[in-house]
Structures are given as structure tokens and as C-alpha cells.
Amino acid sequence: VCSLVVDASASMAYKGGRSPCHKLRYATMAAAALAYLANRQGDAVGLFAYGEDILEWLEPRTGQDHLQAVYQALARLEPAGSSQHAKAWPTLLERLPGRGLVLFFSDMLEAEDELPAHLKFAQSARYDCLGFQILDPDELDLPYKEALEFAGMEERRFIPTYPEAIRQDYQEGMDSFRSTLHDALAAVGAEHSEFRSDQSLGHALGFFLHHREYRG
């Protein structure tokens, strides 16, 4: 069984100047490709998507008709609201099948202290969890040169600043966040990899297939 879990909160709407699409679109395209592969390999595929509330929930099934329903549900997703991980994950975990693979797509921003507790199910021999962290390249290196006003995408907060003045501190903070998140997820048995929204989807497919090959 392969369960797709997609964070469709407002922060996933971010699209910088170097990306062809926002982060949620990249996540849904990757999820659709992996659903196709899992279905071809005989797995039942399910979908759970959330933001502030549960947005889509399809129980795992096999077959082309169900796969089309998964594609349609992914295409309907639009980024909005805050990411209510603490509300969504307990609901999902109550209805996970007895064993299987969970593919989680999110930017995971500001959730390095919260998400590991929700992904502890990956410590069980019955489950595997792959975390696909989707980030825009602009979020990694803050390339802007002119003075800007940054707006919070999940809350009404505006911060005027000059990027040149904060770039080094920003990059150090982002690097610390990414490292802390990776280590925390590894500690609970969840595999984590980072993807940029300007990258080929082949990177996400490779992460999935490498895991399949390793698990035999």
C-alpha cells in the first residue's frame, strides 16, 4: 500500500523567479508520477491532503479508475491556509492501513520540532516513510538585491528589509533548519530528501526507486 500525503497550505504557493511552478504544483506532479509507478508495481494507492482542514481523502485502492481519481484530486488542490500538521496527522494515522509506504510532500517550514513526533510511526517495521521536502531555490539563497517587503503566506505579517543586509544570517538560519529537520526525521526512522521546485521530477522518482530497490 502506498499512501500519498500532501501539505497544501498557503506556504506551498510560493514561486520565485527561477521556478516554473509553485511548490504545491511541483509536489502534486511528483505525487502523480509516483502514484503511477506504485500502481504499476501492484500497490494500492491512497491520498490524504490537508492545509487548515482535510482537503482530500481517498482510501487506498488499485486499478486505473481509482488512479484517475487520485490524479483528479491532486489537480484540484490549491494552496491556502496554515499548515495544521497537529490536526491532520493524528486523523490520518488512525486510518493508515496495517502496513505500507507513506510518501509525504511538504515544504516542512518551521516544523522541525513538530513533524518528527507525527512521523514516529516510521519506527515500526510495518511502515516506511519518505519525506519529500519541496523548497523554491529563492528560499535557499535569498537572491534579491533591492529593498523588499516580505509577507507571511500563512499569517498577516509584513517585514520590510534589505536582502543584502540579512542574507548571511538568513542562509545560516536556513541551513540550520534544514540540518535539524533532516537529523530529527532520521531519528524517528523517516527518510528525508530535499527537492527544489526548479529541478526535474526525475530527482523525486530516483529517491522513490532507490528506496524500493534498497527494500527489495
Side-chain angles (χ1 to χ4, degrees), residues 3-206:
S3 300
L4 309 172
V5 181
V6 180
D7 171 6
S9 59
S11 68
M12 295 291 283
Y14 186 76
K15 175 187 176 300
R18 291 174 284 177
S19 293
C21 61
H22 57 55
K23 292 183 289 186
L24 179 59
R25 188 59 56 225
Y26 186 95
T28 56
M29 289 190 297
L34 297 179
Y36 172 81
L37 287 179
N39 182 71
R40 282 289 301 269
Q41 294 174 348
D43 287 342
V45 177
L47 172 65
F48 182 84
Y50 68 93
E52 287 190 3
D53 300 298
I54 296 170
L55 303 174
E56 298 285 350
W57 195 333
L58 297 176
E59 297 286 349
R61 293 180 185 171
T62 58
Q64 286 300 313
D65 288 346
H66 178 69
L67 189 61
Q68 289 299 320
V70 170
Y71 293 158
Q72 291 166 9
L74 288 169
R76 284 194 295 268
L77 292 176
E78 294 292 341
S82 60
S83 49
Q84 294 294 325
H85 304 299
K87 179 179 178 182
W89 275 97
T91 303
L92 169 62
L93 294 176
E94 288 176 359
R95 298 186 64 177
L96 272 183
R99 62 187 310 111
L101 173 64
V102 176
L103 308 180
F104 176 39
F105 303 85
S106 172
D107 56 17
M108 307 185 192
L109 292 177
E110 299 183 1
E112 67 272 28
D113 296 326
E114 179 182 8
L115 281 176
H118 300 310
L119 303 186
K120 288 176 71 174
F121 69 91
Q123 293 176 323
S124 167
R126 296 181 296 121
Y127 296 107
D128 290 324
C129 179
L130 302 186
F132 295 75
Q133 185 182 17
I134 316 298
L135 295 171
D136 188 277
D138 288 4
E139 294 175 315
L140 298 173
D141 58 17
L142 202 68
Y144 313 105
K145 298 185 182 301
E146 304 296 329
L148 295 171
E149 183 175 70
F150 290 91
M153 300 190 78
E154 296 189 9
E155 57 185 274
R156 293 190 62 80
R157 187 166 47 132
F158 300 90
I159 304 173
T161 191
Y162 189 61
E164 290 287 355
I166 66 166
R167 182 170 290 112
Q168 182 174 345
D169 287 344
Y170 174 88
Q171 290 178 335
E172 289 175 356
M174 177 59 81
D175 289 345
S176 175
F177 153 69
R178 291 154 64 199
S179 176
T180 299
L181 175 68
H182 183 82
D183 292 346
L185 292 182
V188 298
E191 292 189 50
H192 163 266
S193 193
E194 192 178 283
F195 303 90
R196 299 197 322 264
S197 53
D198 64 338
Q199 285 181 317
S200 163
L201 291 175
H203 293 275
L205 301 182

